Every structure is written in structure tokens, then in C-alpha cells.
Amino acid sequence: MQFEYKTIEKPIENTLLKEKGSKFIGFAFPVNNEEELKAALEKIRAEHPKATHHCYAFRMGLNGENYRANDDGEPSGSAGLPIYNQLLANDITNVLVISVRYYGGTKLGVSGLVKAYKESAKITLEEANIVTKELETEIEIAFNFNQQNVIFTLLSKYDAKVLNFDADENCVVTASLKLSQKKTSQTNCPRCSIFLLN
């Protein structure tokens, strides 16, 4: 089973490509869900309301199974697909790449557009630091107050990050755990009840 994927470390903004008077401004964002994706798209549309086109492509999911290429009014396949192909070329997922075009008065033709959008995505991703991330899952552990030390020792052993801790007679801790560690950790505390949150 695969437990890691490659993505970009942080957003890249405002890379510039000029082609026959047209300007192509590139952006790349690490995204983990639909909300982050929509927020990034809305941010760029708000920053560039007068742009002729906001073309983009994204891949999400461990194997990039959730993806989309959007031409935003450019001829079919001339913008979103060349951007998407750069995500594939870099073997990255959980990434959104947007290329904002300001039309400069000279038509580029379909082959010219394909070349420009590909180049815009390429120079944007060349500025990104590509990192390998491990998949994580959230777990919730319910236990008696006197088991606290055992639980926190185990969480530390499996490099889990505590997100929330309710200390009561019956304690509940929510933690983020690397997926590769999940199976091992579930078998180590038979007296605790562990619930996976996703």
C-alpha cells in the first residue's frame, strides 16, 4: 500500500510569460480538498477580474484520481490540458495550477496557445519546491484518566500530533497519525477504544 505522495511545499504566485503581446501569469497552490481549491480559484479571479481567461488544472488524491483541466473559453484542449500535463510530468498531486491570460491583440492559434500555457505552467512549477508527504489520518482515542501516560507514550512513539485533548474521568484525545503507522498502533492498546475519523 502506498503511504506517500509528491506535492509542492508552498504557493507560487505571479510567474510571468509574454507571448506576442499576451501576458500569461502563473500560479500554483498545494490543495487538499475542494474548499481549498475553490478558495484559491476565487482569490485569483478576484485579483485579476479584467483578465481574458483564468485557465487551470488540478490533480488531487494519492494517485491523482481526482483531476480537471479547464480551458475557460480558450479553444478546447488548448489551455487546461497543457497545464494538466505539467502536473503529470512532475508526478505531483494535490496541486492546482492556474494560468491567467491578458490578451495582447495578436491571436496565437491553437498550437501557439498550447505552447504558451504549457510554458506558463512549466515555469511556475520550476519555481516550486517539490516535497514528499506522508498520508495522515485522524484518530480519536477514548480512555480512562489513569491510562493517560500509556496513551501519550504511544502517541509519541508513533509520531502522532495531538489536535485536541479532553481530560475528564473518561478522556478523549484526537490526534493526527501517519497512515503507515495506523495499523501498528491499533494493535498496541487493546484496552483503549480508537475511532478513525477519516
Side-chain angles (χ1 to χ4, degrees):
M1 189 174 169
Q2 193 180 341
F3 293 116
E4 55 186 38
Y5 62 95
K6 287 202 297 183
T7 190
I8 61 173
E9 185 179 29
K10 59 179 195 282
I12 301 296
E13 302 196 36
N14 298 307
T15 62
L16 180 63
L17 173 74
K18 290 181 179 175
E19 191 67 40
K20 293 183 182 170
S22 280
K23 284 198 301 186
F24 297 83
I25 304 166
F27 301 85
F29 297 94
V31 287
N32 295 305
N33 51 52
E34 294 286 335
E35 290 76 29
E36 290 180 13
L37 186 74
K38 283 180 184 149
L41 282 167
E42 281 164 19
K43 172 185 184 296
I44 299 310
R45 285 188 183 124
E47 284 176 12
H48 294 275
K50 294 193 165 84
T52 327
H53 304 279
H54 301 86
C55 303
Y56 66 88
F58 67 81
R59 285 183 88 205
M60 284 198 295
L62 190 53
N63 298 302
E65 57 275 8
N66 181 3
Y67 62 90
R68 184 160 179 219
N70 187 313
D71 296 314
D72 192 35
E74 294 282 31
S76 180
S78 68
L81 202 55
I83 296 170
Y84 176 71
N85 284 337
Q86 287 305 301
L87 293 171
L88 293 179
N90 286 280
D91 190 27
I92 52 178
T93 187
N94 287 18
V95 178
L96 163 70
V97 174
I98 307 167
S99 186
V100 173
R101 181 187 181 193
Y102 285 89
Y103 180 57
T106 305
K107 291 195 171 180
L108 300 177
V110 172
S111 63
L113 288 171
V114 168
K115 186 169 171 272
Y117 280 108
K118 174 194 170 184
E119 198 57 31
S120 174
K122 186 170 181 267
I123 62 174
T124 303
L125 290 172
E126 277 170 357
E127 286 200 18
N129 184 23
I130 294 173
V131 293
T132 300
K133 287 203 169 178
E134 287 197 60
L135 282 184
E136 293 188 348
T137 188
E138 275 187 23
I139 58 171
E140 191 173 88
I141 309 171
F143 55 94
N144 294 329
F145 189 78
N146 62 2
Q147 292 177 294
Q148 239 183 141
N149 288 345
V150 178
I151 296 299
F152 280 96
T153 303
L154 278 170
L155 287 172
S156 174
K157 178 181 173 184
Y158 293 106
D159 203 20
K161 293 191 220 55
V162 175
L163 305 173
N164 190 38
F165 177 45
D166 290 331
D168 218 337
E169 195 176 319
N170 292 314
C171 304
V172 178
V173 67
T174 308
S176 175
L177 181 72
K178 289 188 174 101
L179 206 53
S180 57
Q181 301 278 23
K182 185 180 83 179
K183 284 217 173 351
T184 332
S185 59
Q186 276 178 298
T187 56
N188 272 328
C189 188
R191 289 170 302 164
C192 315
S193 45
I194 299 180
F195 306 97
L196 297 175
L197 300 182
N198 59 13

